[in-house]
Amino acid sequence: MAEALSVMPAAVLRNLADKLYEKRKNAALEVEGIVKQLASAGDHDKVTAVIKLLTNEFTLSPQANHRKGGLISLAAATVGLTNEATQHLDKIVPPVLNSFSDQDSRVRYYACEALYNIAKVVRGDFIVYFNDIFDALCKLSADSDGNVQSAAHLLDRLVKDIVTESDQFSIEEFIPLLRERMNVLNPYVRQFLVGWITVLDSVPDIDMLGFLPDFLDGLFNMLSDSSHEIRQQADSALSEFLHEIKNSPSVDYGRMAQILVQRAGSPDEFTRLTAITWINEFVKLGGDQLVPYYAAILGAILPCISDKEDKIRVVLTYLNDIFDTLLKALSDPSDEVVLLVLDVHACIARDPLHFRHLVVFLVHSFKLDNSLLEKRGALIIRRLCVLLNAERVYRELSTILEGESDLDFASIMVQALNLILLTSSELSEIRDLLKQSLVNPAGKDLYVSLYASWCHSPMAIISLCFLAQTYRHASAVIQSLAEEDINVKFLVQLDKLIRLLETPIFAYLRLQLLDPGRYLWLFKALYGLLMLLPQQSGAFKILKTRLKAVPSYSFNREQLNRMPSGDYYQFVPQMPDGNQTEEDGGSLYNGLNFAARLQQFQQMQQQHREAQKEEEPHRPQSTDLNVPPSRPRRNSGQLQL
């Protein structure tokens, strides 16, 4: 210190700590002259001593005016050193940077001013301190004092100019700091960061694109900022990077794809839209790099298909291609693949429009490839019922099949759906709802919805009536069957139904046989089916045995007295004309117009008979119903459950 004091007049030191700015400024000019003389004489030891004195006695002083004077004098000393300042920067810059966090806003202001003047002198030589300077400026950009912010902005512009013209800047050393700061939420800091990203990206010798994965997520995070200006700046930067990606031969798509997948699920619409836009371009450009990420990309895109924002739903023009590929995958030999494909379909179908699109495509695929219906039909329908709500799936299928022009296919498809409805645990809620058709408006509505397409198959209608406990109507349907309706296919389906009546699903129906007084029409319907079965068939024996198992005490004395004699009719209860029980109330009950339903069924069956005559005008009719034709025209629709 003595060496420094020997060249520093006491008056200069006193004025450096004066409360008046003009005195401090004049003292700093004298320091500049002193240092300039020492540098010219080559006496750098004394220069070092002076800098040390200014640092220890002034910039580190507990007195604010001392600190202000110290900062001004360090900048003045740098100006005095001119071209020789570089060798002293390691002593000059650190105390100035430390002052950026001073509690006194005026000291912070003078620190900005001092570093600005230092930077003007040394230019690119102070790049070695860039990370420390950048970190300090990052904090000052959000300073509570407006004057400090203004001073920091001036310094920031100068530093940017220096960096863009320097060949010593190390992007590799800077990126970790940038990545760390990108998570800051302060709007001023965000503007500061985007500004630097944009500037560095404009420098031809700096490869910001190569490091984009390190700060891409931070830019996307800014898209949801409350400030319109910040959102606009972030969007502008992202747009420029996307443009560069399209024109770059080497891009790390993989790391960025992971970020985009996460951002595609953002609650912010603008962020989702930007992410989907990027993903769309990546899919076009990424090639083999994206193969490991396709599953995640699909998982991100599919929920956006049903997005409420029109611009986000624009991935829709490619859905037909996606459907074709996914539908082909439903024939994959692996059940696991099929289930995953159905998960994808279910995501697409969250949107009502694409739900119908999916079901129409599915029905069309079953129509073109009957083996798909036979081998995968049950698996596909059951899984979709789990993923998309069973009632919704069945209602849509029924609506489509009601208007199906290929009546033969419609009949097979309805038989398949009916079998799934009767046997699958996934559809237990639908079965429970149908059982309430006579007392529950929701059950009635579902019954009517399915009835229209179930008319394509007599056995499907009878099964539906048994589920809904509309036994009188079931009996009416059976009585309405014409000779042409009772063919081999009908008997095959009837055989299945009789065997299903013995399963736990129809336990309620079997128990109702114990109350013939209440369920007279159930008996008539079952005996009607028995009359249609060949006596030598297994189904005939099963149903006959079940009906004979009803104990005689179940019938009241009046019914027993009116029963005809003979083994076959032993337990058939008499049903006086016009009798209405609680089971289904005749022609109109709970808003169900059974007369209209029966007419609907008969009209549909008439269409089937006419179509059958047109398709096979010369086909001989077999009179032996126990002998099936040698080769049926179309698969009977049996499913692998």
Side-chain angles (χ1 to χ4, degrees), residues 182-187 190 194 216-236 238 262-263 265-275:
M182 289 300 288
N183 294 321
V184 175
L185 300 179
N186 186 282
R190 283 184 161 181
V194 175
L216 179 64
D217 190 59
L219 283 176
F220 267 93
N221 199 30
M222 294 180 189
L223 292 175
S224 59
D225 195 278
S226 58
S227 167
H228 174 73
E229 186 177 0
I230 293 175
R231 293 197 303 271
Q232 194 172 44
Q233 290 177 350
D235 179 55
S236 178
L238 285 168
Q262 294 177 344
R263 290 298 172 180
S266 170
D268 178 70
E269 291 182 3
F270 188 42
T271 304
R272 291 200 306 276
L273 173 60
T274 307

Side-chain angles (χ1 to χ4, degrees), residues 62-194:
Q63 302 297 322
N65 289 330
H66 280 67
R67 298 197 297 275
K68 296 173 187 176
L71 290 168
I72 297 175
S73 60
L74 284 176
T78 305
V79 173
L81 287 168
T82 59
N83 295 334
E84 300 181 60
T86 301
Q87 59 184 303
H88 296 284
L89 282 180
D90 60 333
K91 306 176 191 65
I92 295 174
V93 173
V96 177
L97 290 176
N98 288 337
S99 299
F100 279 16
S101 58
D102 197 283
Q103 294 182 349
D104 191 315
S105 63
R106 295 303 297 167
V107 174
R108 296 197 300 274
Y109 175 87
Y110 284 117
C112 291
E113 183 184 74
L115 193 59
Y116 182 90
N117 290 323
I118 292 169
K120 283 176 60 178
V121 174
V122 298
R123 303 295 292 186
D125 290 334
F126 94 137
I127 289 293
V128 65
Y129 299 101
F130 175 77
N131 276 14
D132 293 328
I133 294 171
F134 179 88
D135 193 41
L137 285 173
C138 188
K139 297 172 182 176
L140 288 180
S141 65
D143 198 279
S144 58
D145 188 280
N147 291 326
V148 175
Q149 279 192 13
S150 298
H153 290 162
L154 287 174
L155 174 60
D156 180 55
R157 284 201 291 269
L158 176 61
V159 175
K160 285 174 179 173
D161 290 340
I162 294 172
V163 168
T164 55
E165 68 186 24
S166 173
D167 59 358
Q168 301 177 44
F169 177 73
S170 173
I171 185 66
E172 292 82 4
E173 294 179 6
F174 169 63
I175 288 298
L177 176 61
L178 176 62
R179 181 174 59 240
E180 179 184 341
R181 290 288 177 267
M182 289 300 288
N183 294 321
V184 175
L185 300 179
N186 186 282
Y188 296 107
V189 175
R190 283 184 161 181
Q191 284 185 306
F192 171 80
L193 294 172
V194 175

Side-chain angles (χ1 to χ4, degrees), residues 480-488 490 609 621-623 625:
S480 73
L481 294 174
E483 178 182 348
E484 308 96 287
D485 300 327
I486 307 172
N487 53 30
V488 173
F490 175 85
R609 296 184 199 112
Q621 296 296 319
S622 173
T623 56
L625 296 179

Side-chain angles (χ1 to χ4, degrees), residues 257-483:
Q258 293 176 306
I259 296 170
L260 298 177
V261 165
Q262 294 177 344
R263 290 298 172 180
S266 170
D268 178 70
E269 291 182 3
F270 188 42
T271 304
R272 291 200 306 276
L273 173 60
T274 307
I276 292 298
T277 302
W278 275 62
I279 289 175
N280 185 42
E281 295 298 331
F282 271 36
V283 170
K284 297 177 185 177
L285 303 169
D288 293 341
Q289 279 195 51
L290 287 181
V291 172
Y293 305 96
Y294 277 150
I297 288 174
L298 273 176
I301 290 176
L302 294 176
C304 293
I305 291 173
S306 59
D307 199 283
K308 61 183 179 180
E309 178 62 43
D310 290 339
K311 293 181 180 179
I312 295 177
R313 295 200 305 269
V314 74
V315 297
L316 298 185
T317 55
Y318 302 102
L319 276 185
N320 286 341
D321 295 335
I322 294 175
F323 267 121
D324 288 340
T325 302
L326 292 176
L327 285 170
K328 290 176 183 177
L330 291 176
S331 300
D332 193 277
S334 168
D335 284 351
E336 184 178 359
V337 171
V338 174
L339 292 174
L340 289 174
V341 169
L342 290 172
D343 286 344
V344 174
H345 274 301
C347 288
I348 295 175
R350 290 176 184 173
D351 175 63
L353 175 63
H354 293 92
F355 172 76
R356 179 168 178 80
H357 198 182
L358 166 62
V359 180
V360 170
F361 261 74
L362 197 57
V363 172
H364 183 65
S365 298
F366 287 149
K367 184 176 180 179
L368 294 179
D369 182 6
N370 200 57
S371 64
L372 178 63
L373 175 61
E374 180 182 352
K375 297 177 181 178
R376 295 289 194 189
L379 176 64
I380 292 170
I381 298 299
R382 290 167 64 181
R383 184 59 180 166
L384 286 180
C385 285
V386 171
L387 297 172
L388 296 173
N389 182 282
E391 182 179 347
R392 185 185 180 201
V393 170
Y394 261 67
R395 283 179 178 271
E396 193 65 40
L397 284 167
S398 180
T399 300
I400 294 170
L401 291 172
E402 180 183 357
E404 174 59 49
S405 59
D406 185 342
L407 299 182
D408 192 32
F409 165 72
S411 177
I412 292 174
M413 187 70 191
V414 166
Q415 291 169 21
L417 293 174
N418 185 63
L419 185 58
I420 296 171
L421 174 63
L422 295 178
T423 59
S424 300
S425 59
E426 294 87 347
L427 279 79
S428 60
E429 291 186 4
I430 286 189
R431 291 195 295 269
D432 290 341
L433 187 58
L434 285 170
K435 290 176 186 177
Q436 304 175 49
S437 298
L438 296 173
V439 295
N440 186 324
K444 178 201 73 172
D445 188 54
L446 177 59
Y447 176 81
V448 172
S449 176
L450 298 183
Y451 194 99
S453 61
W454 258 234
C455 285
H456 282 294
S457 167
M459 199 47 56
I461 279 292
I462 295 170
S463 303
L464 182 64
C465 291
F466 282 169
L467 271 180
Q469 303 182 70
T470 55
Y471 300 133
R472 184 170 186 176
H473 187 62
S475 178
V477 169
I478 295 170
Q479 294 292 331
S480 73
L481 294 174
E483 178 182 348

Side-chain angles (χ1 to χ4, degrees), residues 531-638:
M531 294 301 103
L532 298 178
L533 285 166
Q535 293 190 52
Q536 300 305 315
S537 65
F540 179 89
K541 297 174 182 177
I542 292 172
L543 182 55
K544 179 181 177 182
T545 301
R546 172 59 63 185
L547 291 171
K548 290 179 65 175
V550 179
S552 58
Y553 65 78
S554 299
F555 301 97
N556 59 42
R557 184 172 299 276
E558 180 182 353
Q559 290 170 328
L560 290 174
N561 290 336
R562 294 188 314 193
M563 283 186 180
S565 61
D567 180 63
Y568 183 76
Y569 290 102
Q570 182 178 357
F571 300 116
V572 180
Q574 298 298 306
M575 301 177 196
D577 292 338
N579 178 59
Q580 293 190 10
T581 66
E582 294 178 2
E583 60 187 277
D584 60 354
S587 63
L588 185 63
Y589 191 81
N590 191 30
L592 281 169
N593 190 332
F594 288 105
R597 298 279 84 79
L598 181 60
Q599 185 179 16
Q600 184 180 21
F601 169 73
Q602 291 172 327
Q603 289 174 348
M604 181 62 75
Q605 288 306 300
Q606 183 60 32
Q607 293 181 36
H608 277 267
R609 296 184 199 112
E610 293 173 357
Q612 188 78 6
K613 291 177 181 178
E614 292 177 2
E615 292 177 6
E616 301 180 1
H618 305 297
R619 180 175 177 178
Q621 296 296 319
S622 173
T623 56
D624 186 354
L625 296 179
N626 289 309
V627 181
S630 59
R631 186 174 182 179
R633 181 167 51 84
R634 187 190 277 265
N635 188 289
S636 61
Q638 295 184 42

